[in-house]
Every structure is written in structure tokens, then in C-alpha cells.
Amino acid sequence: MDKGDSKSKLISTATRLFAERGLYGVSVRELAKAAGVSISMVSYYFGGKEGLYSSVLQEQFSSFSHIEEINRVETETLKKIESYIRWIIVRYRNNPYLLRFYTSELTNPTQFFSLIVQPAIGKVIQVLVQIIEEGISNNIFRKDLNPVDTVLAMAGMVNYYILSTLVTQELINHSPERDEVLIRHYMDIFTKGILR
Amino acid sequence: MDKGDSKSKLISTATRLFAERGLYGVSVRELAKAAGVSISMVSYYFGGKEGLYSSVLQEQFSSFSHIEEINRVETETLKKIESYIRWIIVRYRNNPYLLRFYTSELTNPTQFFSLIVQPAIGKVIQVLVQIIEEGISNNIFRKDLNPVDTVLAMAGMVNYYILSTLVTQELINHSPERDEVLIRHYMDIFTKGILR
DNA sequence: GTCTATATTGCGATAGAC
DNA sequence: GTCTATCGCAATATAGAC
């Protein structure tokens, strides 16, 4: 085995296991075994189980800074929103474990919440609020909108779609082929509402 | 201590602790100590830690059947939707632990998911889909709506509002006094969209 | 850098007294 | 119905060989 290979093998294995059963649901023994390395490597590289969890969390939430890229490259307000929705869906497609860390930290925060999770999510919300405010200023959106409520409504729609997967598998096609239809659909509901 | 008192004391203590740290994050020892009863009471009443967790879960999700009451007492489609939104918010206000079990089971299902959680949430979604379909039939809603997507958009808005509490505390007033404003706001966004 | 072996602590469950 | 005491096992962490 190459030098340092144990470290990355531990991170990728830990990502899956922590996502599936949480920080307390996995033992260091099981983790090391699943990664095919010695149990002592966890302390050696990460200082213990919590250090490994912290590294996993850091990696998971590093992708959140992409919201600034979206805000920069798109010029139209509605395009920014569409880009955001697409990004969230693609993000969860590329990383099936992220939502588990996301909800787990929001409802059962660990000691790493305020240092890693809160800033990452906070940044996304802050930029989205800015986008909505810009839309209101430019007379694209209604003047009576509360920007934060509006952002949470939008983020909620798309995050909950993924969250609900387990209970809606029989009702709806959750495959990526339907993603563009879904995005159009959500853009429609969010901008025009459901009334005839 | 009265007869049977240990049982209910264990349930209420376990609800808080399981919500805060999950099934694996709490030991039976700690649980019994926090409840002020003997450790052996857990096996005596619930057959073990998992049995206690199962009882807690059952109690948490029993409230979900209320959706049928809403569907029965309200006659107008839009009133049904407003009632649903109000119910969800009040439900989380009355029970701050529910959302933790909800998201935890949806992202890290335990063995009790399919027996307790899936049927409870599934029922709510099923009734909501029915309500949206009814609105489409009655020409209140647009014909091109996908009912399931629409339900998830609505449920997502309101569930995510609560989920986001920890990261939006500084941005928005999360107190119950604002609930009715929030409900009106969400009804507005959901029915009419955000466009001017 | 990686291993095995082990020290120490805490786990869930239960037997048996009251 | 509730308790204390204890069994057997698994947990994390680390010492020390290579």
C-alpha cells in the first residue's frame, strides 16, 4: 500500500459509514476493517474518531462555496435561481451522503457544527437572500416578499425533494433523467405559483 | 414512585435523549439515570434499548393521522392547504423533537422505518396528492402540475423552514408570534409565486 | 507508516434480592 | 415493580515491534 493511501481510504470509507449510521453508530474497529487498514491509523492520522468525522464534514461542506461562482457567472436573476436549483440537485446526485450530514448536523449538531456547517450553509443563504433582494429591486419580484422567507421556501422545495426519496419512491420517478423536467417544474411553481 | 410511572418517565426522557443524539448516541445507563429509574427497567418494560426507541418512534409519528381530520373538516381546497401548513408548524412548536426523528429516519433509517415512519409520512403525502388533484379537477390549479412534485414543493417549504432554524436564527424571527404572517406568506408564494 | 497486542473503560442485558 | 451486582463483550486509544 502506498504512503498516505490509508488516510484517503479512511476518509472515503468513513464518509459512507458516518452517513449511514452517524458518528455514534460506527465504531473505529468497523471503520478500519472496512477501509482495510489498521485500527491505529485513525489515531495516527486524525487523532481519533471525532477528528476523522471532522475531516469528513469539512470535505462534505467544502462544495458549498460554489454558490458564489453561480452568483458571479449568471447575470439574470431568474437564471441565478435556476442555476441554484440545478446545482443542489446535481450536488446530491454526485454525493448521495451529503444530505445525511446536512440534516443530521441541523437537527443533532455536533461540536463541529458552528465551525464547519453553519458558515457553509450560512454563506449559501446569504447569497440567495441577496439574489432575491436584487430581484425585488429590479421589479422582477413582488415588493411584499420577505427575502429570507422566500429563500427558505425555494431551498426547502428542492432539498425536501431529495429528503423525501425514501417515502416517495413508489409515487414518483427519482432518476436523473427527470431532473430537467423537475427543475422546470419547480421554477414554475416558485415563480408563478400553482393557481390557474 | 407510583406503579408504571417508570415506564412513562423512561419514554419522555428517551424522547429527548434519542432526539438529541440518536439511537446509538445514548446508552441505556445514561438513559435510566436521567429518568431516575433503574437500568433494568428498560429491559423489563421495553425488552431493551431498541424496543424503547421503537415505542418513542410510535408515539412521535402517531400524530400524523391528523391529516385525515384536516381533509374531512375543511371543504375548500385552499383552506385544506392552509390548514396543512398551520398544522405542520404547530406540530413542530408543540414537539421540538419530532423533526429530528423525521429527518434522522429519512436519511438514516433504522429497522423501524418501514413499519412506523414510512406509513405515517406516506399517508400524509397520499392525502395531500389527493387534495392537489382535486384542485386541478376543479379548475382552481393549473392543469400542467405534477401532483406529487407539487405536494413535495409545498411540504418542503414548511418543513425546511423549521429545519433551517439553527442557521437562520440571526436572520429571521422564529418565534410563534410570527407564525400567522409566515403562513400567509407561504400560502402566497405557493399559490401565486414570486413574480411581480 | 503500518501492524499486533493490550490496557482500560463502558456497553447492554439479566439474575436474584426485596 | 424496582433495585443492586455482575457477566460477557465491545468500545477507544496506545505502546511497542517492524
Side-chain angles (χ1 to χ4, degrees):
Chain A
M1 197 171 279
D2 294 343
K3 273 189 183 180
D5 202 30
S6 291
K7 189 173 181 180
S8 61
K9 197 82 188 64
L10 271 173
I11 292 232
S12 64
T13 307
T15 301
R16 181 173 57 83
L17 290 179
F18 282 144
E20 283 168 8
R21 270 171 288 139
L23 174 54
Y24 307 105
V26 193
S27 72
V28 175
R29 269 177 161 72
E30 179 184 9
L31 221 119
K33 192 169 187 180
V37 304
S38 160
I39 184 176
S40 54
M41 292 296 93
V42 175
S43 286
Y44 182 77
Y45 281 115
F46 305 97
K49 186 164 93 162
E50 307 225 318
L52 174 52
Y53 180 80
S54 156
S55 292
V56 167
L57 222 52
Q58 198 106 49
E59 191 184 86
Q60 288 290 308
F61 285 92
S62 66
S63 68
F64 278 49
S65 60
H66 180 68
I67 186 69
E68 306 189 87
E69 176 87 356
I70 289 177
N71 195 30
R72 210 180 50 244
V73 302
E74 297 287 355
T75 50
E76 282 178 61
T77 301
L78 282 176
K79 282 281 181 195
K80 288 182 181 184
I81 291 178
E82 186 182 322
S83 263
Y84 163 77
I85 295 178
R86 182 174 292 106
W87 167 53
I88 299 292
I89 291 178
V90 170
R91 196 179 70 183
Y92 288 133
R93 295 265 179 243
N94 290 340
N95 182 356
Y97 305 122
L98 179 57
L99 187 65
R100 308 189 180 209
F101 292 104
Y102 188 101
T103 57
S104 157
E105 284 290 330
L106 275 176
T107 56
N108 302 90
T110 64
Q111 53 176 134
F112 309 108
F113 175 79
S114 53
L115 208 76
I116 302 174
V117 182
Q118 154 73 247
I121 303 180
K123 183 76 204 173
V124 173
I125 292 180
Q126 182 208 308
V127 172
L128 290 176
V129 167
Q130 209 179 298
I131 293 172
I132 296 294
E133 285 173 340
E134 170 191 305
I136 296 175
S137 296
N138 296 346
N139 252 326
I140 302 169
F141 302 149
R142 293 194 271 121
K143 291 254 178 269
D144 59 335
L145 291 175
N146 173 322
V148 178
D149 282 345
T150 307
V151 162
L152 296 183
M154 171 175 61
M157 275 190 339
V158 53
N159 279 281
Y160 190 82
Y161 172 80
I162 309 289
L163 181 64
S164 77
T165 306
L166 268 186
V167 279
T168 53
Q169 282 177 121
E170 253 102 81
L171 294 173
I172 209 175
N173 173 13
H174 275 274
S175 81
E177 290 100 65
R178 207 177 71 89
D179 282 355
E180 285 303 316
V181 171
L182 184 77
I183 291 166
R184 216 159 354 101
H185 211 141
Y186 276 177
M187 278 299 288
D188 236 47
I189 291 177
F190 186 59
T191 56
K192 298 188 293 193
I194 65 171
L195 289 182
R196 187 176 56 95
Chain B
M1 198 171 278
D2 293 344
K3 270 189 186 182
D5 202 29
S6 291
K7 190 173 181 179
S8 62
K9 197 80 189 60
L10 271 174
I11 291 233
S12 64
T13 307
T15 301
R16 181 173 57 81
L17 290 179
F18 283 145
E20 282 168 8
R21 270 173 287 140
L23 174 55
Y24 307 105
V26 193
S27 73
V28 175
R29 274 179 157 75
E30 180 187 6
L31 220 120
K33 190 168 186 182
V37 304
S38 160
I39 185 177
S40 54
M41 292 296 92
V42 175
S43 285
Y44 182 78
Y45 281 115
F46 304 98
K49 187 165 93 160
E50 307 225 317
L52 174 52
Y53 180 80
S54 156
S55 292
V56 167
L57 222 53
Q58 200 105 49
E59 191 184 85
Q60 288 290 309
F61 284 92
S62 65
S63 67
F64 279 48
S65 61
H66 180 69
I67 187 68
E68 307 190 87
E69 176 87 356
I70 288 177
N71 195 30
R72 210 180 48 246
V73 303
E74 297 287 355
T75 49
E76 283 178 60
T77 301
L78 283 176
K79 283 281 181 196
K80 289 182 182 184
I81 290 178
E82 185 183 323
S83 262
Y84 163 77
I85 294 178
R86 181 173 293 106
W87 167 53
I88 298 292
I89 292 178
V90 170
R91 194 180 71 183
Y92 287 133
R93 294 266 180 242
N94 292 339
N95 182 357
Y97 303 123
L98 179 57
L99 187 64
R100 309 188 179 210
F101 291 105
Y102 188 99
T103 57
S104 157
E105 284 289 331
L106 275 176
T107 56
N108 301 89
T110 64
Q111 54 176 133
F112 309 108
F113 175 80
S114 54
L115 208 77
I116 301 175
V117 182
Q118 154 73 246
I121 303 180
K123 183 76 207 171
V124 173
I125 292 179
Q126 182 209 307
V127 172
L128 291 176
V129 167
Q130 210 179 296
I131 293 172
I132 297 293
E133 284 173 341
E134 171 190 305
I136 296 175
S137 297
N138 297 345
N139 252 326
I140 301 170
F141 302 149
R142 292 194 272 121
K143 291 252 177 269
D144 59 335
L145 291 174
N146 173 321
V148 177
D149 283 345
T150 307
V151 162
L152 296 183
M154 170 175 61
M157 273 189 342
V158 53
N159 279 280
Y160 190 83
Y161 171 80
I162 309 288
L163 181 63
S164 77
T165 306
L166 267 187
V167 279
T168 54
Q169 282 176 123
E170 253 102 81
L171 294 173
I172 209 176
N173 174 13
H174 274 275
S175 81
E177 289 102 62
R178 208 178 70 89
D179 282 355
E180 285 303 318
V181 171
L182 184 79
I183 291 166
R184 217 161 351 103
H185 212 142
Y186 276 177
M187 279 299 287
D188 237 47
I189 292 178
F190 186 59
T191 56
K192 298 187 294 191
I194 64 171
L195 288 182
R196 186 177 55 95

